[in-house]
Amino acid sequence: MRLMADLHIHSRFSIATSPKLTVPSLDRWARIKGIDLLGTGDCTHPKWLNELAGVLEPEEDGFFRLTKQTQEAFDSIQALADDLPDPTAERSVRFVLTGEISTVYPRGGRTRKVHHLVILPGFPAAKRFQTMLGKIANLSSDGRPTLRIDSRDLLSMLLAADERSILVPAHIWTPWFSVLGARSGFDSIEECYGDLASRVGAIETGLSSNPPMNWALSALDRFAIISNSDAHSPDKLGREATIFTMEPSFTGLADSLSGAAGGPAGSVAETIEFFPQEGKYHYDGHRACGVSLSPAESADLQGLCPVCGKPLTPGVMRRVLELADRPMDEWAPCPPSPLPLPGLSGANRRPYHSLVPLAELLGQLMGVGPGTKKVAAAYAALVEKAGSELALLMDLPIEKIGRLACPGCPGEILAGAIGLMRRGEVSVRPGCDGVYGEVKFTFDIKQVTINQDRYLSAEKL
Ligand SMILES: [Zn+2]
Ligand SMILES: [Zn+2]
């Protein structure tokens, strides 16, 4: 079974997240986006875990579903009040218990700060894990708790709570909070998790890196490569995601995350990515000095800022090049089919899609902000016709997109932009030092022939 999954998200109990992050709103937005399997996020938070237990019912082993009653109540009251898009595609969203944990601790004379995605096989396991962590940290203050323990010991506690549990190092390249981060981490996954490293079978690329960047390290060959949104509000779900081919159960997910080639019950099939240049830490730079440099340019200046003279905040690109033992091509095309055999180098290479979120794309084409009413109206019309956002961005044939009637944005123009995006023909200003990069669609709108009748009737919608 093909399942679109987003495993790393947050609830409203994490710091700096949207109050709209409730279980039924996540369910609704997963349907809008086209997600089949959603991580609950924040499963170590006592209130959130209780809330989840109250509205989810078991589906397959270790997977859950929102009760019909809760879903219908939300759809008929809150979703109407908030004017949320009404996805037409019949989709029932499965949930799996996940959370993110930050470990901060000294090792080898340096402070290490590493974020981990944890996935648990059910409520009893999550409850046990919560009880264990509750003895060493205050779990109620943040849905993503910070623990003063070694990453290896966190993994050991997770496995003690239930040995089927899964740990995936989160957004492994971000400079300040990740396992391979320049300012926070280690030079290898093995160094971080020590004798338990063999229990880690997958890595998360994060928004600032894409699969080809990770293929440049032979040390990462044995890991399955996955992507998740790390969403802090419901409308950001699925901005990165993973398509699995798997049996719909915790066993299927565990097999898929057990290593590069997966296992008998499942494996990674494809991933959905940001353009990595859009990530907040792609290049080296200084936000305040307006400086953004490629690894080569920064190396020429010994990593020092040409404006203030202080060390630049290192970007993900520089760090990947530091650890890479193969040439890196961040624009490398998808690997040819058939995929390399398990055990061979490259066994974790999978096709990937570089996408720009639909609201951002519409904002650019319409010359307004992605959060405006105009974009919301166009977004809703398109989701209702295409079935979901990801179906529109990835699957709907370009000719069909061209014939869509969409208020504020002629279908022909949208089709042009989506075609360019699917082929990777975009221009990019790389992000750095906490500032997002920008992807632009460089096509001449005047060259596009628009069916005025269809467009004007859509305007009246
Ligand atoms: Zn994180
Ligand atoms: Zn500076």
Side-chain angles (χ1 to χ4, degrees), residues 313-442:
T313 302
V316 163
M317 283 283 274
R318 190 216 292 190
R319 181 64 178 155
V320 174
L321 287 170
E322 229 169 71
L323 298 181
D325 57 349
R326 296 186 185 126
M328 177 181 56
D329 175 8
E330 57 183 316
W331 294 99
C334 293
S337 170
L339 293 166
L341 293 168
L344 291 182
S345 95
N348 62 356
R349 296 186 189 198
R350 295 290 185 279
Y352 64 96
H353 307 259
S354 302
L355 302 181
V356 173
L358 180 58
E360 205 179 293
L361 193 151
L362 286 169
Q364 230 186 81
L365 297 176
M366 294 159 73
V368 296
T372 54
K373 284 218 164 103
K374 275 178 116 175
V375 165
Y379 183 93
L382 290 169
V383 163
E384 280 159 27
K385 280 169 202 142
S388 74
E389 176 176 341
L390 286 168
L392 175 72
L393 294 179
M394 291 167 54
D395 303 328
L396 200 64
I398 294 293
E399 318 81 71
K400 281 200 178 160
I401 299 175
R403 292 197 295 272
L404 289 178
C406 166
C409 182
E412 292 86 348
I413 288 186
L414 184 68
I418 291 180
L420 289 172
M421 177 181 76
R422 287 183 186 171
R423 296 192 299 276
E425 292 170 20
V426 295
S427 85
V428 184
R429 181 180 59 73
C432 72
D433 197 17
V435 184
Y436 282 109
E438 230 183 320
V439 171
K440 289 262 181 229
F441 296 93
T442 45

Side-chain angles (χ1 to χ4, degrees), residues 285-291 304-313 433:
H286 264 172
R287 176 201 287 246
C289 304
V291 170
L304 299 177
C305 174
V307 176
C308 72
K310 297 202 186 100
L312 294 164
T313 302
D433 197 17

Side-chain angles (χ1 to χ4, degrees), residues 11-13 19-26 40 45-57 66 70 97 123:
S11 77
R12 66 184 186 285
F13 296 105
K20 293 198 186 268
L21 285 159
T22 63
V23 191
S25 113
L26 285 170
T40 59
H45 195 280
K47 279 192 185 155
W48 184 239
L49 191 65
N50 271 342
E51 204 169 305
L52 290 165
V55 293
L56 295 180
E57 58 190 13
L66 184 66
T70 317
L97 295 169
F123 282 96

